[in-house]
Amino acid sequence: LLESKGHRHRDSMQMQMQMQQTRTLLGLVHAIDKRVYRWAKKQMPPISKTEQIALGCGTIGFDREIFGGSPSLQQLVDTYDPKLTPEEQSFLDNQVNHLCSLLNDHDVTIERDFTREAWDYMRDEKFFGLKIPKEWGGLQFSTTAVSAVLQKLATQCFDANATVAVPNSLGPGELLARYGTPEQKSYFLPRLADGTLIPCFGLTGPHSGSDATSLIGSDCVVQRINGELGVMATFKKRYITLAPVAGVVGLGLNLSDPDGLLNGIGDEGFTVALLE
């Protein structure tokens, strides 16, 4: 009996020592984690004004569920009910299907271009103006419809998907419709809608990726030239989708105003200039 109690006492002591060692190890790991975090935090650059604006934009939707670690697909189904209008569904069933019939992914890859018939059809049926308002000659489709069009095109020819996607997302059409001056809208939007001008977005540079908050070597300075307010831009861009066929480029630039010429009519930081 005494020997049994002795064994239990030794086992208890060993267990306590192991628990103490575990707590010590966890405490040490926690202390190291905090030091590493503080060190890493000091190495990170401060959040720029452009980044602060980007962080404050938009709303929180299903992405909150994803980053929370427990996304509910049922909540997604119950919350979102995307539907196409009859006009959008008709476009998907007819124009998109016909364009797919004009595309051969192998031939496009070998020739590195579409046929003239495919280019003309995309222009005539306003594939480049899906999001542009009807008053400017576009189709004014919803984001859901544009997504459905791109999804269908991707099943037939990925290059066609990218060619239609850029004007309806990265291209300046939607930016002009929302923020352009009346003169800019009347000049650019009808030409973008009918494909007279194929747009591209010049963001990526040789030393920076597609990150509007950390452009390197893409700068413009506000200047007064011949009595008019303008900018002097210096930039290098590469990997720009549709650049070889584009008629207008939306240039992503880092704007600075050292002489205070903007005088409250604009802000320094990321800006987009149109180059025709």
Side-chain angles (χ1 to χ4, degrees), residues 81-90 92 142-146 148-149:
D81 185 23
K83 293 181 179 179
L84 301 179
T85 66
E87 181 184 7
E88 293 169 342
Q89 186 64 57
S90 175
L92 191 65
S142 65
T143 301
T144 300
V146 175
V149 170

Side-chain angles (χ1 to χ4, degrees), residues 20-163:
Q20 181 62 39
Q21 290 173 349
T22 301
R23 285 195 293 267
T24 301
L25 181 59
L26 290 175
L28 180 61
V29 171
H30 181 66
I32 293 175
D33 286 346
K34 291 178 66 176
R35 292 180 181 180
V36 171
Y37 173 77
R38 286 196 294 266
W39 174 84
K41 187 176 180 181
K42 292 179 181 178
Q43 306 308 310
M44 296 294 292
I47 295 178
S48 68
K49 186 174 181 180
T50 301
E51 289 172 317
Q52 290 176 340
I53 294 173
L55 289 171
C57 291
T59 57
I60 298 174
F62 187 66
D63 50 346
R64 175 173 56 188
E65 302 291 327
I66 295 175
F67 287 103
S70 56
S72 170
L73 294 180
Q74 186 59 48
Q75 182 179 356
L76 181 64
V77 172
D78 295 340
T79 303
Y80 301 97
D81 185 23
K83 293 181 179 179
L84 301 179
T85 66
E87 181 184 7
E88 293 169 342
Q89 186 64 57
S90 175
F91 187 87
L92 191 65
D93 294 338
N94 295 285
Q95 283 90 334
V96 176
N97 280 342
H98 183 68
L99 177 58
C100 286
S101 71
L102 300 178
L103 300 169
N104 183 300
D105 196 42
H106 175 268
D107 292 345
V108 172
T109 301
I110 297 300
E111 298 296 332
R112 303 179 68 179
D113 200 357
F114 304 118
T115 63
R116 174 53 55 187
E117 183 181 8
W119 274 116
D120 289 344
Y121 188 78
M122 285 189 281
R123 287 187 170 97
D124 293 341
E125 297 300 329
K126 301 182 179 180
F127 274 84
F128 303 120
L130 300 179
K131 300 266 303 187
I132 293 176
K134 291 183 177 180
E135 62 179 301
W136 299 112
L139 296 178
Q140 200 171 342
F141 280 177
S142 65
T143 301
T144 300
V146 175
S147 178
V149 170
L150 297 178
Q151 182 179 6
K152 184 63 177 289
L153 289 177
T155 65
Q156 181 68 18
C157 177
F158 181 77
D159 290 296
N161 168 283
T163 300

Side-chain angles (χ1 to χ4, degrees), residues 46 48-52 54 203 209-216 254 270:
S48 68
K49 186 174 181 180
T50 301
E51 289 172 317
Q52 290 176 340
L203 179 60
S210 300
D211 182 359
T213 65
S214 62
L215 294 178
I216 300 174
N254 184 35
F270 180 76

Side-chain angles (χ1 to χ4, degrees), residues 168-238:
N168 292 289
S169 55
L170 299 175
E174 191 171 6
L175 285 174
L176 284 167
R178 290 176 178 268
Y179 308 111
T181 66
E183 293 80 9
Q184 289 173 329
K185 291 179 180 179
S186 63
Y187 179 80
F188 282 107
L189 289 179
R191 290 169 172 81
L192 290 170
D194 65 13
T196 300
L197 289 175
I198 302 295
C200 67
F201 187 42
L203 179 60
T204 303
H207 304 294
S208 59
S210 300
D211 182 359
T213 65
S214 62
L215 294 178
I216 300 174
S218 296
D219 303 297
C220 62
V221 180
V222 180
Q223 296 183 357
R224 192 172 296 279
I225 305 172
N226 298 327
E228 293 185 347
L229 204 61
V231 296
M232 181 65 70
T234 303
F235 57 88
K236 290 183 179 180
K237 302 292 184 180
R238 68 176 180 182

